Amino acid sequence: MTVGFRLVSAMAPAEQDVDAIALQEDGLICADGRPLTGELARSAGVFGGGPLLAAVQKARLFKDSKHFVDMPLKEDPEIVLAEFERLEKKTEKEVLRSFVEKYFEDVGSDLDPWSPSDFQESPPFLAHVEEKRKAWAKALNGLWATLGRKSKAHSQQRCSSLPLRNPTIVPGGRFLETYYWDTFWVIRGLLVCSMVETAKGVIGNLLDLVKDFGFIPNGTRVYYLDRSQPPLLTDMAMAIFDVTGDKEWLSQVLPLLIKEYNFWMSPESGQVVQLEISGEMRHFNVYHSQRKGPRPESYFEDLETARSARESGLEPKSEEVFQGLCAGAESGWDFSTRWMDDSDEKRLSEARLETIKTHHIVPVDLNCFLVRVEEGLARAHDLLANESGAQKYRDAAAKRKKDIEEVLWNDVTKCYHDYRLDKGRFSKVIALSNWAAPLWAGLQGHEVEAFLTSLHASGLLQTGGAATTAVVTDGRTQWDAPNAWPPLQHMLIEGLERLGSVAAKDLAQEMTERWLQSCQMAWEKSGFMYEKYNASKPGEGGGGGEYEPQVGFGWSNGVALVLLAKHSGCQEETRRCTLS
């Protein structure tokens, strides 16, 4: 196998100081390679990079680096930056604390709570939920009334939040903004609860972002514009269409769905790579970020990782580390041993973040998401009687499926694997995405029964749900075992249902029951829905990561509601349950 790949990046000289490299990043380049201008560029001067950001984050004024970049300014950026330049003793913590108190507002002061107008205390689907779960299901529905936010009128240059035309539903906890891939499961949950107008408003904000930027950023903050997240916009649109049947709406949004797909397929995004196999070129997508410095929301942590990589000799080029971290954030799996050095298969649990190479790995799940995008675009064109358009995307999906089958399928392990461009081989990490994403995209493997057998043998299917990987890091990396994440459970269950065999459907039913039982147990003990759970201990939240475990929680509520509807025989896609 001859492998060739091209990634858009410019490496800094190895002898440069890590802090100096970090300071060179101004946060002005968007994920599509274009520079920010106007008020957003002014905002990025404070929240995207530069000496003020570096000084505050390195001084650790706040335990969570995200806190500072979510604080709106009291004055325009130029005034604040000029005052910072005149400030003496810029590195002293208390001097910086006084400066921040003088020139910055509290986190969240740019937002107002919002109650959705289509919220119902008892939406129709509740009548179908089994009695033992009815009170919990009603409480989950009630959470939508607590997670609504709308932007206050403000000067864009004075805050990091991006302007939104419509109110939105946020994940909860420290996450006070919309996140791209989270929103798919939020929308699915809203549809279960008959909140169609809210769902359309939420996706409307994302469509506006595509109109304005050509892509959807990781989240609705200026410091997230260097990267996107897993492409699920088309899936969101088709989920809404399946409830409303509104072809006029679909025809209006379709050009923006195509525009977002084109972003993922553009060489300028840095997310397209080529593999030459037996003389044939295969195209795949990878995660990639334009940022070559630390993430503003994790500035201190990323600096520490880059310094450690250089001091240990693991990676002398700090820009490589920064890009790997940013691409890892784009993947949604921030962070996992999937993206780290896997040379020693017996010590994967000790894999170090300093070895992160996300942008040099072809992920199974990203390419399966894009199969769904292509098939969704084909279906949308079919619905609008555009046969040539439909055929174009059917052909793209068929080509991608063929490449996935021929390159990412491992005939030894009988499952799909991420492919490491940096090593010219399959990844050694056993990840739930090896099964969940292909199944969700309608891929069945070369041998269907063997594919299911390998899933059972993986060790991922546990009493509290499916673990994220088979690598137990005890929370050191949150997208590894024992953590179990709601979106992956949903993908796996829907994928198994799509497979259609009796064995697959039985397993889907079993995993649905395990997940609902764990989530309900946790709710009854704590009164919270967690961002993630412990696959080996039903009823317990997951742990680890760069921040404290969060509650709320948008996608957890959405997945639970979808599964409750399915489990009760009331599919959320049917108008009977949603709109009756």
Side-chain angles (χ1 to χ4, degrees):
M1 179 180 293
T2 303
V3 178
F5 67 97
R6 176 177 58 82
L7 290 168
V8 179
S9 62
M11 302 305 177
E15 67 271 10
Q16 279 192 281
D17 176 75
V18 174
D19 291 77
I21 293 172
L23 273 174
Q24 291 173 9
E25 176 58 62
D26 55 18
L28 289 175
I29 304 300
C30 287
D32 64 352
R34 292 183 300 171
L36 285 175
T37 58
E39 292 181 345
L40 288 173
R42 295 169 68 191
S43 170
V46 173
F47 301 110
L52 174 56
L53 175 68
V56 172
Q57 299 292 45
K58 286 159 67 174
R60 296 296 277 167
L61 294 190
F62 307 100
K63 183 179 179 181
D64 185 347
S65 291
K66 189 176 187 298
H67 187 102
F68 173 64
V69 289
D70 290 353
M71 298 175 72
L73 290 163
K74 296 177 181 178
E75 303 282 355
D76 281 347
E78 296 79 10
I79 294 173
V80 176
L81 291 172
E83 290 301 317
F84 176 72
E85 280 301 307
R86 284 193 284 269
L87 190 67
E88 296 181 3
K89 302 179 179 178
K90 290 182 175 64
T91 59
E92 290 193 10
K93 191 168 187 175
E94 292 311 310
V95 171
L96 285 168
R97 191 185 307 280
S98 297
F99 182 86
V100 169
E101 289 174 355
K102 181 177 180 180
Y103 287 105
F104 288 80
E105 304 276 5
D106 292 335
V107 170
S109 58
D110 51 341
L111 300 168
D112 277 328
W114 170 71
S115 296
S117 60
D118 56 353
F119 173 76
Q120 303 175 51
E121 292 284 352
S122 297
F125 95 97
L126 281 177
H128 303 269
V129 176
E130 56 190 325
E131 197 59 38
K132 69 177 182 179
R133 289 188 168 132
K134 198 177 291 287
W136 176 46
K138 186 173 183 178
L140 289 179
N141 171 66
L143 289 174
W144 298 131
T146 71
L147 294 173
R149 297 290 186 276
K150 62 180 181 179
S151 299
K152 287 183 180 178
H154 60 264
S155 300
Q156 175 61 61
Q157 72 272 15
R158 291 191 181 188
C159 62
S160 64
S161 57
L162 300 177
L164 300 180
R165 177 167 51 94
N166 305 310
T168 191
I169 301 293
V170 301
R174 75 199 278 266
F175 302 114
L176 298 177
E177 53 281 313
T178 298
Y179 284 81
Y180 180 5
W181 80 315
D182 294 54
T183 303
F184 171 73
W185 289 279
V186 169
I187 283 177
R188 290 288 295 267
L190 290 170
L191 294 176
V192 169
C193 298
S194 302
M195 296 174 66
V196 177
E197 290 309 308
T198 296
K200 289 176 74 173
V202 169
I203 195 176
N205 289 332
L206 299 186
L207 292 165
D208 286 346
L209 292 170
V210 176
K211 192 182 302 180
D212 292 341
F213 300 108
F215 66 97
I216 300 172
N218 183 152
T220 53
R221 297 278 183 182
V222 70
Y223 55 76
Y224 284 142
L225 283 167
D226 64 280
R227 59 186 184 265
S228 186
Q229 263 195 335
L232 299 178
L233 181 67
T234 297
D235 271 310
M236 296 179 210
M238 298 314 295
I240 290 173
F241 173 81
D242 285 336
V243 168
T244 65
D246 187 345
K247 289 187 179 180
E248 182 179 353
W249 177 82
L250 184 62
S251 68
Q252 291 170 356
V253 305
L254 182 55
L256 292 172
L257 303 183
I258 295 170
K259 186 174 184 178
E260 197 235 357
Y261 172 72
N262 290 340
F263 159 76
W264 283 92
M265 300 308 297
S266 168
E268 284 72 30
S269 71
Q271 291 155 322
V272 180
V273 296
Q274 299 179 78
L275 299 180
E276 184 179 342
I277 300 173
S278 302
E280 184 178 352
M281 297 305 298
R282 313 298 180 99
H283 294 82
F284 290 96
N285 286 78
V286 298
Y287 291 113
H288 177 79
S289 166
Q290 300 289 356
R291 184 175 289 275
K292 299 178 179 66
R295 295 166 294 155
E297 77 280 11
S298 300
Y299 196 99
F300 179 84
E301 294 83 355
D302 287 1
L303 271 184
E304 290 293 290
T305 301
R307 286 195 191 105
S308 178
R310 177 171 296 190
E311 290 166 3
S312 63
L314 292 170
E315 177 52 74
K317 298 177 180 177
S318 298
E319 286 189 345
E320 270 289 285
V321 178
F322 292 139
Q323 286 200 303
L325 292 166
C326 293
E330 181 175 72
S331 78
W333 287 52
D334 43 338
F335 291 107
S336 170
T337 52
R338 277 181 76 189
W339 315 131
M340 301 173 201
D341 182 56
D342 64 351
S343 299
D344 189 344
E345 194 168 0
K346 295 181 179 179
R347 301 183 67 181
L348 288 175
S349 63
E350 301 172 23
R352 295 175 61 174
L353 187 57
E354 297 93 319
T355 65
I356 192 163
K357 296 285 185 183
T358 317
H359 51 316
H360 295 311
I361 296 171
V362 175
V364 170
D365 46 1
L366 173 58
N367 287 279
C368 289
F369 293 147
L370 285 162
V371 168
R372 287 182 63 94
V373 174
E374 290 155 349
E375 291 184 338
L377 291 174
R379 181 178 170 225
H381 280 86
D382 266 335
L383 287 163
L384 299 174
N386 183 336
E387 175 55 33
S388 62
Q391 191 59 50
K392 172 184 175 180
Y393 292 105
R394 277 196 294 269
D395 290 346
K399 172 66 166 61
R400 190 182 297 272
K401 280 185 171 182
K402 178 176 180 289
D403 289 345
I404 291 172
E405 293 286 5
E406 294 183 0
V407 179
L408 302 185
W409 173 263
N410 186 330
D411 208 39
V412 175
T413 61
K414 303 301 181 186
C415 70
Y416 302 88
H417 283 266
D418 299 332
Y419 190 85
R420 298 203 59 127
L421 298 169
D422 58 335
K423 298 179 183 292
R425 59 163 172 77
F426 289 124
S427 168
K428 297 177 183 178
V429 175
I430 302 301
L432 184 56
S433 49
N434 295 357
W435 290 270
L439 287 169
W440 203 44
L443 279 76
Q444 303 179 0
H446 293 190
E447 304 168 44
V448 179
E449 288 187 12
F451 189 32
L452 275 181
T453 298
S454 70
L455 173 60
H456 281 286
S458 68
L460 298 173
L461 306 183
Q462 300 185 21
T463 54
T468 311
T469 70
V471 182
V472 180
T473 65
D474 294 319
R476 186 175 58 82
T477 47
Q478 63 174 348
W479 284 82
D480 283 297
N483 288 342
W485 289 82
L488 298 182
Q489 315 304 310
H490 177 251
M491 289 163 53
L492 177 65
I493 290 164
E494 278 202 348
L496 288 166
E497 291 171 344
R498 185 172 181 176
L499 196 58
S501 70
V502 173
K505 288 183 177 179
D506 286 348
L507 181 56
Q509 185 69 15
E510 175 62 25
M511 296 311 296
T512 296
E513 178 58 32
R514 291 185 196 183
W515 186 251
L516 289 176
Q517 184 179 54
S518 180
C519 292
Q520 186 175 8
M521 286 173 61
W523 173 268
E524 290 173 349
K525 286 193 298 184
S526 68
F528 295 123
M529 288 295 289
Y530 295 112
E531 175 192 29
K532 53 186 178 283
Y533 291 80
N534 189 317
S536 61
K537 297 179 180 178
E540 290 194 13
E546 295 183 298
Y547 50 84
E548 296 295 325
Q550 302 295 297
V551 297
F553 195 87
W555 65 14
S556 305
N557 309 343
V559 169
L561 286 162
V562 169
L563 296 183
L564 281 166
K566 288 178 181 290
H567 203 52
S568 306
C570 177
Q571 295 288 336
E572 79 283 5
E573 291 87 353
T574 65
R575 301 186 74 171
R576 177 177 64 84
C577 289
T578 305
L579 301 177
S580 61

